[in-house]
Amino acid sequence: MKIKHLYLILSPVIIATAFFAVKALPEKKEEAPNEDKSVIAVNVEYAELQTLQNNIEVTGKLKAKDRYEIYAEVEGRLLPSAKKFREGNYYKKGQVLLQIDQQERYMTLLADKSNFMTELTAILPDLKEDFSESYPTWNQYLKELDIKKPLKVLPEPKTEKEKYFIAGNGIYSSYYTIKSSEEKLSKYTIYAPFSGVISKSDVEAGTAVRAGQELGEMVNLSSYELEVTAPLKNIEHFKKGNKVKLYSSELDSEWTGTVIRIGNTLDANSQSVKVYIQTSGKDLKEGMFLMAQVNSAAYENAMLIPRKLIFNDNQVYVVKDNKLEVQEIEVMETFKSDAIVKGVPTKTAVLMTNIKNPYTGMKVQVLN
């Protein structure tokens, strides 16, 4: 009975204590019924369509387009010239570069021509007797022969018999021997093949040279050739005849070049092709490095987006009403990290955040 009475006394006390303890607890805020903890915050770019094109830049080394290596074709002593054969000296086309002493060869040629005159004189009586129609022609040829001038072409025989007579007396043999000597004599004087400067000189006046010896090198400074290496993916923009912008990192100047040749072989390591560009202009020097810039075709109503956002080769995600949707695009050109694309309507919110496992209808929250 005592225990029962104690229980009856404590029960109201316990209930009251529990009631006030619950009231003392902090109130829990009621969550918004529409809040979705799975919504991902993303950034977008609102499409502003414009005309875009790719500026392709490649670098190469400038070389003189015309280069002439000078070799001696005869032997002899090198004579001094009015202008010393030195690097940097300028010569006009046709001007004498070098002269090798030809006196001995020249005197031998004069002797051969004198003997040739004697041979012609010896056959004139027989020509007059047996080939009277041809005699005046051969007689006139002998009268006009000047041993100090190059031989003229021999008269044409009128008959086979006349031709055999001329050949039998050694006229043809002597004639071609002399013409060969005249040709060789011309090699003792070396003329400038074009207007340019000496880029290398290996000899001096008074030294003896031998046939086949390299004497120097000459370059034409009015026209240059730039050899560049273009990536295979961009080679379509380097077409023969295309104009190319050239500039140097060392000089505040620009030049214009023209694509003149495109290599047919591919470098397996770099996957590139050699392209040759012709140019000319002030301040250009052989050996300097130039950058060539060529523009790709212009793409209208296009935009630039990161390549990593493109999937299935022609699709990107866009945001409409805070949900992801697939937008098909046309990739016009790709670069290392970006791509020029078409097909996105203007002002469309293109997803710019790389989301893990995105899908159509996925809820997102646009931050910008």
Side-chain angles (χ1 to χ4, degrees):
M1 288 297 291
K2 289 182 179 179
I3 294 174
K4 184 176 180 182
H5 289 161
L6 181 62
Y7 174 77
L8 291 174
I9 294 171
L10 291 177
S11 293
V13 176
I14 294 172
I15 292 171
T17 303
F19 173 77
F20 287 109
V22 171
K23 292 291 287 182
L25 292 173
E27 293 185 4
K28 185 178 180 181
K29 290 185 179 179
E30 186 177 344
E31 294 184 357
N34 295 328
E35 185 176 353
D36 187 351
K37 295 182 179 180
S38 64
V39 174
I40 299 176
V42 298
N43 286 314
V44 298
E45 181 177 328
Y46 295 94
E48 294 184 3
L49 306 184
Q50 52 189 316
T51 300
L52 299 175
Q53 60 183 166
N54 178 22
N55 293 328
I56 303 165
E57 288 189 350
V58 288
T59 305
K61 191 176 181 180
L62 202 63
K63 295 181 180 179
K65 186 174 182 292
D66 295 321
R67 181 181 302 275
Y68 184 69
E69 294 181 346
I70 304 167
Y71 286 87
E73 297 184 63
V74 293
E75 59 183 23
R77 184 174 58 86
L78 199 62
L79 299 175
S81 55
K83 182 183 290 187
K84 290 187 177 181
F85 188 74
R86 291 287 184 272
E87 293 181 21
N89 279 349
Y90 177 83
Y91 290 85
K92 292 183 179 180
K93 182 178 179 179
Q95 191 174 353
V96 175
L97 294 177
L98 292 167
Q99 271 191 312
I100 300 172
D101 188 0
Q102 61 177 9
Q103 189 63 25
E104 183 178 351
R105 170 66 64 174
Y106 180 65
M107 299 307 293
T108 301
L109 179 60
L110 292 181
D112 291 340
K113 287 184 178 180
S114 296
N115 292 334
F116 182 63
M117 290 183 66
T118 302
E119 292 172 353
L120 287 177
T121 303
I123 65 169
L124 281 181
D126 291 331
L127 283 171
K128 187 175 182 180
E129 182 69 25
D130 300 329
F131 308 100
S132 56
E133 292 182 358
S134 300
Y135 171 77
T137 304
W138 284 96
N139 187 45
Q140 185 64 29
Y141 181 85
L142 181 59
K143 286 182 179 180
E144 294 177 355
L145 196 155
D146 187 344
I147 62 173
K148 294 184 179 180
K149 295 180 180 180
L151 287 185
K152 295 181 179 180
V153 178
L154 288 175
E156 286 289 333
K158 298 184 183 302
T159 63
E160 289 290 314
K161 185 178 180 181
E162 179 185 347
K163 182 174 71 173
Y164 296 147
F165 173 76
I166 298 298
N169 283 275
I171 301 301
Y172 291 131
S173 177
S174 297
Y175 172 80
Y176 287 112
T177 298
I178 292 172
K179 295 302 291 183
S180 176
S181 296
E182 286 179 346
E183 179 65 24
K184 196 164 187 177
L185 187 67
S186 68
K187 299 181 185 302
Y188 281 79
T189 303
I190 302 173
Y191 299 93
F194 46 73
S195 297
V197 301
I198 303 303
S199 59
K200 185 171 68 171
S201 175
D202 297 327
V203 292
E204 292 188 12
T207 58
V209 298
R210 62 184 184 279
Q213 178 180 342
E214 184 177 5
L215 305 179
E217 187 178 69
M218 185 177 185
V219 294
N220 185 353
L221 300 184
S222 63
S223 181
Y224 292 93
E225 194 172 274
L226 182 68
E227 179 185 307
V228 298
T229 303
L232 183 60
K233 68 175 183 178
N234 294 328
I235 196 63
E236 63 182 31
H237 303 304
F238 291 87
K239 295 181 180 179
K240 189 175 180 180
N242 279 8
K243 297 297 181 182
V244 180
K245 177 183 173 182
L246 304 174
Y247 59 95
S248 168
S249 59
E250 303 294 331
L251 301 175
D252 187 20
S253 301
E254 291 185 2
W255 303 268
T256 301
T258 305
V259 177
I260 56 173
R261 296 194 314 278
I262 299 174
N264 293 322
T265 58
L266 174 69
D267 189 312
N269 295 325
S270 62
Q271 291 293 293
S272 58
V273 178
K274 288 185 178 180
V275 178
Y276 300 88
I277 301 168
Q278 182 176 329
T279 187
S280 60
K282 185 181 177 182
D283 298 327
L284 290 176
K285 296 185 182 298
E286 187 178 45
M288 68 187 296
F289 284 91
L290 292 181
M291 282 170 278
Q293 184 183 89
V294 60
N295 296 328
S296 67
Y299 304 110
E300 297 181 353
N301 298 321
M303 69 177 296
L304 191 70
I305 66 172
R307 287 181 61 182
K308 64 182 180 180
L309 299 179
I310 302 174
F311 62 97
N312 295 336
D313 296 330
N314 68 336
Q315 293 178 329
V316 293
Y317 280 112
V318 297
V319 179
K320 289 184 179 180
D321 299 327
N322 288 329
K323 292 181 181 180
L324 295 185
E325 290 188 9
V326 173
Q327 173 70 53
E328 290 197 356
I329 58 171
E330 183 181 2
V331 179
M332 309 308 298
E333 201 158 344
T334 58
F335 315 119
K336 185 175 181 180
S337 57
D338 299 315
I340 297 176
V341 303
K342 296 179 69 173
V344 181
T346 186
K347 302 302 181 182
T348 299
V350 181
L351 179 68
M352 289 291 151
T353 302
N354 198 11
I355 302 175
K356 185 177 181 181
N357 300 324
Y359 56 88
T360 302
M362 184 178 185
K363 292 182 179 181
V364 295
Q365 180 66 44
V366 176
L367 293 178
N368 57 332

